[in-house]
Amino acid sequence: MSSRPETEGLRRRLGLFHLVLYGLGVTIGAGIYVLIGLTAAEAGLYAPVSFAVAAGVVLFTGLTYAELSTRFPVSAGEAIFVEKGLRRPQLALLVGLLVAASGIVSSATIAIGAASYLFHLIPIEPNILTAGLIIFLGLIAAWGILESVTIAAFLTVAEIFGLLLVITFALEADPMLIERAGELVPPFETSAWSGILSGALLAFFAFIGFEDLANVAEEAKQPKRTMPRAILLTLGLSSLLYLVVVSVVVLSVPMEALTSSASPLLLVFETASPTTLLSFNLIAGLATINGILIQMIMSSRVLYGLSKNHHLPTTLGKVSPITGTPIIATVVVVAIVLVLALALPVGQLAEWTSRFALLVFALVNAALIGLKRQKTPLNSEGFVVPLWIPVIGFLTCAILLIFSLATLI
């Protein structure tokens, strides 16, 4: 009899390819498919600059995550980073719960949107469709990390294909778009840059997700080598895609129509054939479904990691000997997502996701600053950034967070 003990750790099954697809899958998705119009409402034609500013803010934090994932390649990464760097266990628990909560709320919000879209293809009562979708994706998340990430990888490829389809169709419809690229350069005027910064907060939401890679580090092969590469490749590829997509959309779609649309990318296909339009609709649906799956995987790993580090009940840290996944933590996540999606108004909570992320990012950068000031050595050779990287990461996140909170006053 050779069954695995129920408390055995997670299995390292993810290589660089799967990690990058996981990172792209949780980063690219509902954000870019719906945020362009909202960003353009703030920044106008300069929306691509807003995305560039957001990418710049995220880059420094991404480099911080790259080093910390080398130092501590475990689940519930942010909580461990903060606990080790700031030496505040209570603060570490708060960070972990914030990360898990943001993933759970995002899953519930996306599930409602996905069900609303799928209702046009599957005419089932919306609440039943929402519940069925969440349970189905929860079963996939519990199936096994390699299996669930492989499915997410296929959905990620579909997401990326959809964005490439937007670029290709827009350029074929109007080859002059490339020559008009100069129109995207903003003037040095306060009004223009105020709108760009407001748009950057919205654009920032589209980049949230790369940090979820830290929460599957315990299931990564050779994490000290693959995790930094996966994080940086995820940020680089998603940033490039975003900038090109946003540029062709704002140049090819009338601004009035763009800023008032809940499905801005569909406007690019107004002259497309019914088959092309249907294909893109399906791809957009897959993008939202993928976000639910990956966010549930991430949230369950955070609860698992907090349990293993004695911040939450040990039950949440139990791993199934059959699937090699944290079954109880996954069930808890799916149950909470169901409650939020079916019973609570999650819209306003979802608006705070980017603010929670900025707060977590600021604390993670502060943690690396603390570790470097402690002169804590790496356990072995790994990825290292200079001190000024987390300093700038902390300042940029803090400034954007303060700017976003000021808009509420």
Side-chain angles (χ1 to χ4, degrees), residues 163-175:
L163 296 181
L164 295 176
L165 187 62
V166 170
I167 297 169
T168 302
F169 188 87
L171 292 177
E172 287 181 350
D174 185 2

Side-chain angles (χ1 to χ4, degrees), residues 182-197:
E183 299 175 23
L184 303 176
V185 179
F188 290 101
E189 297 176 0
T190 303
S191 58
W193 281 95
S194 176
I196 288 169
L197 290 177

Side-chain angles (χ1 to χ4, degrees), residues 216-281:
V216 294
E218 200 165 328
E219 294 161 282
K221 299 175 182 177
Q222 298 180 311
K224 293 181 182 298
R225 175 183 174 87
T226 57
M227 289 302 298
R229 294 183 179 185
I231 290 172
L232 297 180
L233 281 171
T234 294
L235 285 177
L237 292 173
S238 58
S239 297
L240 178 61
L241 266 176
Y242 286 176
L243 291 176
V244 177
V245 169
V246 178
S247 296
V248 299
V249 170
V250 298
L251 287 174
S252 61
V253 177
M255 194 57 62
E256 288 186 7
L258 182 61
T259 57
S260 61
S261 175
S263 305
L265 296 186
L266 284 176
L267 299 176
V268 175
F269 298 94
E270 284 193 331
T271 60
S273 66
T275 301
T276 301
L277 191 58
L278 176 61
S279 298
F280 186 77
N281 268 306

Side-chain angles (χ1 to χ4, degrees), residues 78-129:
E78 289 96 339
I80 303 304
F81 301 161
V82 170
E83 181 175 3
K84 298 295 185 180
L86 300 181
R87 297 179 176 178
R88 296 288 187 273
Q90 297 82 2
L91 190 58
L93 175 59
L94 174 63
V95 168
L97 292 176
L98 277 174
V99 172
S102 66
I104 290 170
V105 171
S106 295
S107 295
T109 307
I110 297 170
I112 295 171
S116 298
Y117 162 75
L118 291 174
F119 178 75
H120 297 287
L121 299 175
I122 309 172
I124 300 175
E125 201 277 323
N127 282 344
I128 296 176
L129 190 57

